Amino acid sequence: MLELNKSGTDRPEAGRLPAQGAGPDARPADGSPTTETATAERVPLRPYLIVGAVLCGLYFLYSYLQYARFGSPSWDLGIFEQEVRAYAGLRAPIVDIKGPGYLILGDHFSPIVALLAPLYWLWPSAVSLLFAQAAFFALGAVIVGRTTQQLLGGRSGLCVTVAYGLSWGIQEAVKSDFHEIAFAVPLLALVCRALLLKRYTAALLWSLPLVLVKEDLGATVAVVGFLLFVYGRRLQGALLAAYGVAAFVVTLMVLIPAASSAGTYDYWQKIDKNGEQDVSMLDSLLGVLNSATKVEMLVFLIGITGFMALRSPLTLLIVPTLGWRLLSQDSNHWGMVWHYSAILMPVLFLAMADGVRRSRGSHRPWLASYAKVAVPVATAIAVAMTQHLPLRDLLRPESYRTDARTEAAREALKAIPAGARVETDITLMAHLTSDRTVYWIGGAPGTAPDIVAINLDFGWSRPIEDPVVYAQQLHPEARYRLKHRGGSFVVMERKTPEPAEIPGVRGD
């Protein structure tokens, strides 16, 4: 059961929320720090930076090896590189992978991604995005771990840094290549840290940019406002909650539709449609736990904290993200794969630290005893689960070998000239977006791209018997010829003149 009792007495004071009662980190009325708080603020930073650097190296190494072996699991890395490349060129964020001339702000509202432009100036490659994400995830680990030590003392902080750093939500996000939620991970860690250390103005300020990370995070900001309100900062809490709700509504109802060629927010369909079948909101609500995959995800979310996160009101911050995921008809949103759970990890692990602090003085003997071992339990769970998670591949010798498929993919890349307009599948996509115009295979009708490059082993619904015929079926306005073939990779070039007008491309 989620507890609001911070003092550990399990008996709230009448007339106010228990979290406002005196606790081990409470400050005197004049605002001066207590002895314990003053000691906590002197927690050394260096050990956490060292562990953070190690985690950053592990995340980046995994991401780089996956990229170098042409193992990207989706088109997202290519999409985000096209977006960042546009920002770096001081242009509107056009992402041709989503469609020729497609303005990405009409898909998801993530203008904060523009902050990666300076890094891209120095390192114009999809790999720079992978490095940035590794750094953001590692920064989250530093914040979570050091805050835990400030709250609990001892070696709990370093244990939680490891447990968080190896958590399945973070590892699956690393495997999923870059996503905009990388910005939200350290921001949410800072928000939770500020709430736990009673730095309420800081919590408010760290919450503000979350609405620029992704459209749904306005609802999370509103929950931060609610927590500030019940913690006694009523004006700040009410204003922040109103800001979060307003940002959520305006982004979904105004900003995204204005940027979208369809004039609407496409992802409503994830909730109200199951394939071609309409689903009512009542049916969506009744079906939030209609899948074993959903239940498994919920158990493992709370289970990685030894269930101690349920003792903290911070756990309320995961409700908005879990809400839309459980309402979604898309099974990709339900489980333990992809990147969707990464933003929940800093919240849950700091909620665990808060839960342990609340439980140490509990009058329930079993709970007080369990609080003493909850952090080691969570660490053991994280280490044990890693045996079945992505970073385990770093211990496999074959992860560092160049196989025949990788060599064939590299040769295919050499056959594609810089500056060309290329239509391709996921395999080569993120390796082309830094210096070519890239389209998704079958998603650019009428463009007659210079090159059509495909991996015959990509997993097509129907095998491609004749790649040249396939290219000409995609683009009957042009003719293609085989330029290169090696292994499963085929590169075809257009042999007819480029069209005078290309969809999505404006003349100078």
Side-chain angles (χ1 to χ4, degrees):
M1 176 180 177
L2 185 145
E3 294 282 351
L4 297 177
N5 185 356
K6 180 178 179 180
S7 63
T9 63
D10 290 338
R11 294 194 300 270
E13 291 183 40
R16 70 173 172 178
L17 194 72
Q20 292 304 107
D25 69 335
R27 293 177 183 239
D30 63 3
S32 60
T34 63
T35 302
E36 183 172 348
T37 304
T39 301
E41 290 174 349
R42 292 197 296 269
V43 169
L45 179 59
R46 181 178 295 180
Y48 295 95
L49 290 178
I50 293 172
V51 177
V54 172
L55 289 171
C56 180
L58 293 175
Y59 301 153
F60 180 64
L61 178 59
Y62 181 93
S63 298
Y64 178 77
L65 290 174
Q66 180 172 259
Y67 173 86
R69 291 170 61 84
F70 297 85
S72 292
S74 76
W75 63 358
D76 290 333
L77 182 57
I79 285 174
F80 281 106
E81 186 181 3
Q82 283 192 336
E83 181 178 2
V84 174
R85 181 185 175 192
Y87 284 129
L90 305 181
R91 302 187 304 272
I94 298 299
V95 174
D96 292 305
I97 290 172
K98 293 283 290 185
Y102 189 94
L103 182 61
I104 197 62
L105 295 177
D107 184 55
H108 288 301
F109 190 74
S110 305
I112 200 169
V113 172
L115 295 179
L116 292 177
L119 175 62
Y120 198 80
W121 292 337
L122 300 173
W123 191 357
S125 166
V127 179
S128 65
L129 277 62
L130 299 175
F131 176 78
Q133 177 168 269
F136 286 139
F137 287 169
L139 176 59
V142 171
I143 297 167
V144 168
R146 188 163 182 263
T147 304
T148 298
Q149 184 169 342
Q150 288 179 288
L151 295 175
L152 304 180
R155 298 176 181 173
S156 57
L158 290 174
C159 288
V160 169
T161 305
V162 173
Y164 166 91
L166 297 179
S167 62
W168 61 265
I170 296 296
Q171 290 202 47
E172 290 295 342
V174 170
K175 182 180 179 180
S176 301
D177 284 337
F178 178 86
H179 288 87
E180 73 286 292
I181 54 89
F183 287 92
V185 169
L187 283 173
L188 281 168
L190 288 166
V191 169
C192 293
R193 169 185 170 82
L195 288 172
L196 293 177
L197 298 182
K198 298 186 178 181
R199 299 169 184 171
Y200 297 130
T201 300
L204 184 150
L205 294 176
W206 286 120
S207 298
L208 298 180
L210 282 170
V211 301
L212 303 178
V213 177
K214 202 172 181 182
E215 61 273 6
D216 63 293
L217 287 175
T220 302
V221 171
V223 177
V224 177
F226 169 76
L227 290 176
L228 287 176
F229 186 88
V230 297
Y231 284 165
R233 296 300 179 101
R234 298 185 181 276
L235 179 59
Q236 285 183 325
L239 290 175
L240 185 62
Y243 166 80
V245 171
F248 180 77
V249 172
V250 170
T251 302
L252 267 63
M253 299 299 185
V254 179
L255 298 180
I256 291 179
S260 170
S261 58
T264 186
Y265 180 55
D266 291 342
Y267 294 93
W268 291 127
Q269 298 182 28
K270 296 289 187 181
I271 294 176
D272 60 23
K273 283 188 179 294
N274 187 354
E276 297 299 321
Q277 182 180 359
D278 291 336
V279 179
S280 69
M281 181 55 70
L282 178 60
D283 288 336
S284 294
L285 288 170
L286 294 175
V288 293
L289 294 178
N290 63 351
S291 165
T293 303
K294 295 179 180 180
V295 175
E296 177 189 57
M297 176 187 70
L298 292 175
V299 170
F300 276 91
L301 276 173
I302 306 301
I304 56 172
T305 69
F307 298 96
M308 192 56 78
L310 292 174
R311 290 279 294 171
S312 172
L314 286 185
T315 307
L316 292 173
L317 292 174
I318 74 173
V319 172
T321 297
L322 279 183
W324 71 256
R325 290 177 64 186
L326 295 176
L327 288 172
S328 173
Q329 305 301 314
D330 187 344
S331 60
N332 288 315
H333 294 151
W334 304 343
M336 297 172 62
V337 295
W338 300 108
H339 58 287
Y340 302 108
S341 295
I343 64 171
L344 307 180
M345 296 297 109
V347 175
L348 289 170
F349 277 93
L350 284 175
M352 177 187 71
D354 187 32
V356 170
R357 178 177 61 170
R358 292 166 180 273
S359 302
R360 282 178 168 176
S362 174
H363 289 315
R364 304 168 187 170
W366 68 269
L367 184 57
S369 298
Y370 181 58
K372 297 177 182 179
V373 299
V375 168
V377 166
T379 306
I381 290 172
V383 172
M385 289 187 67
T386 297
Q387 300 300 311
H388 307 285
L389 291 172
L391 292 184
R392 174 67 176 82
D393 289 348
L394 294 180
L395 300 178
R396 304 181 190 276
E398 57 268 26
S399 298
Y400 303 89
R401 296 174 186 155
T402 300
D403 56 15
R405 176 183 174 277
T406 301
E407 288 290 356
R410 291 175 180 173
E411 291 302 315
L413 288 179
K414 293 177 183 178
I416 303 173
R421 293 184 303 110
V422 186
E423 188 169 358
T424 189
D425 57 69
I426 290 170
T427 315
L428 298 176
M429 184 173 286
H431 294 260
L432 295 167
T433 43
S434 63
D435 58 0
R436 286 101 163 174
T437 299
V438 180
Y439 305 116
W440 169 243
I441 193 80
T447 58
D450 306 315
I451 298 289
V452 176
I454 57 177
N455 173 14
L456 297 175
D457 291 341
F458 172 63
W460 308 96
S461 56
R462 295 181 181 177
I464 298 174
E465 302 293 342
D466 189 329
V468 175
V469 171
Y470 177 69
Q472 293 183 171
Q473 288 174 344
L474 293 175
H475 299 283
E477 72 278 8
R479 291 291 178 269
Y480 288 86
R481 63 187 170 208
L482 185 66
K483 181 179 182 182
H484 170 84
R485 183 163 189 167
S488 63
F489 294 90
V490 181
V491 178
M492 293 153 286
E493 62 180 355
R494 192 188 67 248
K495 62 181 182 180
T496 51
E498 183 176 272
E501 294 186 8
I502 302 171
V505 177
R506 293 176 293 181
D508 296 331

